Amino acid sequence: DGGITQSPKYLFRKEGQNVTLSCEQNLNHDAMYWYRQDPGQGLRLIYYSQIVNDFQKGDIAEGYSVSREKKESFPLTVTSAQKNPTAFYLCASSPIPSSYNEQFFGPGTRLTVL
Amino acid sequence: QKEVEQNSGPLSVPEGAIASLNCTYSDRGSQSFFWYRQYSGKSPELIMSIYSNGDKEDGRFTAQLNKASQYVSLLIRDSQPSDSATYLCAAPGFQKLVFGTGTRLLVSP
């Protein structure tokens, strides 16, 4: 079954902790993206990567970090510097690193700060 | 900053009616547009892509693109309660897609 998986589905973080969200795809897509969605709001781009070992900041990168060591994996770390991390985090991938191509989303991780 | 705008709704239609969802975009050079459906608590699902002026039909869904007016719409024929969701419009930005905030559709039985 081809697709995008994210884990965990739910994640709880204490103040001051770093947490890492997993995103894996077996679609052989070149580009991968991380978005954040807050209740009643649209998607905001955190980071994106068009090729392995390269990534760019999106609109709200502060307090987040990523890596792209393998084509199929794009983990996101939410650091303690992120002031308001409670949100729904969505990973997406696209077959070609171009904004003219559709993106496909994973099921998401819901992060709550206690 | 390239923008995509949608009415947040909710748009309420009775079962069996046509639902019309609209989206405007700021970049006159945009070449492709995408409609996503997002059920409450779930991730967005791609339902339509449109790349040229005119209409594109897929089952009960029709996407309409008017580049001169910078306007893209999604029509849902024979609306069903299961179509109740938030519909996101997306257009190309620089190396990324720009998403609208979505229109919430409510289909009443």
Side-chain angles (χ1 to χ4, degrees):
Chain A
D1 249 352
I4 304 170
T5 58
Q6 292 186 243
S7 62
K9 186 174 181 180
Y10 298 97
L11 184 58
F12 299 91
R13 192 194 91 169
K14 293 181 181 179
E15 294 278 355
Q17 275 185 336
N18 292 355
V19 292
T20 297
L21 283 58
S22 169
C23 178
E24 303 276 335
Q25 54 98 1
N26 61 4
L27 301 168
N28 200 33
H29 286 178
D30 287 323
M32 297 186 75
Y33 307 81
W34 274 106
Y35 293 89
R36 168 182 172 144
Q37 187 175 41
D38 294 280
Q41 297 191 29
L43 302 175
R44 291 188 289 170
L45 183 64
I46 304 172
Y47 269 99
Y48 62 102
S49 169
Q50 297 183 321
I51 56 172
V52 175
N53 292 322
D54 188 41
F55 48 83
Q56 286 79 40
K57 293 182 179 180
D59 301 316
I60 56 164
E62 185 176 352
Y64 300 97
S65 65
V66 294
S67 62
R68 186 89 185 274
E69 298 177 0
K70 298 184 296 183
K71 185 175 184 177
E72 59 270 22
S73 179
F74 191 41
L76 173 74
T77 296
V78 184
T79 74
S80 57
Q82 170 49 236
K83 299 304 180 188
N84 186 20
T86 294
F88 189 37
Y89 289 87
L90 292 159
C91 178
S93 71
S94 182
I96 300 170
S98 164
S99 60
Y100 296 98
N101 289 278
E102 56 268 277
Q103 295 179 13
F104 301 91
F105 285 86
T109 292
R110 198 166 297 277
L111 173 63
T112 302
V113 173
L114 303 174
Chain B
Q1 176 76 355
K2 297 176 182 179
E3 294 181 348
V4 174
E5 295 189 357
Q6 298 180 255
N7 188 316
S8 61
L11 172 66
S12 296
V13 300
E15 183 174 358
I18 296 175
S20 178
L21 304 160
N22 304 313
C23 174
T24 58
Y25 57 94
S26 62
D27 183 8
R28 189 173 289 277
S30 293
Q31 298 294 319
S32 54
F33 299 88
F34 308 99
W35 282 100
Y36 290 81
R37 177 177 62 198
Q38 186 175 23
Y39 292 114
S40 181
K42 302 296 185 182
S43 63
E45 173 193 10
L46 179 68
I47 55 172
M48 288 288 281
S49 306
I50 186 165
Y51 300 93
S52 58
N53 262 341
D55 296 359
K56 179 183 177 183
E57 187 174 318
D58 184 0
R60 295 188 296 112
F61 298 99
T62 299
Q64 298 176 320
L65 175 59
N66 184 326
K67 290 186 179 180
S69 300
Q70 297 176 242
Y71 181 94
V72 58
S73 63
L74 180 70
L75 301 179
I76 306 175
R77 291 182 300 281
D78 189 24
S79 295
Q80 301 297 308
S82 58
D83 294 324
S84 297
T86 296
Y87 290 80
L88 305 173
C89 172
F94 178 67
Q95 296 184 331
K96 64 181 182 181
L97 285 180
V98 179
F99 286 84
T101 54
T103 298
R104 187 176 170 213
L105 173 66
L106 298 176
V107 182
S108 53

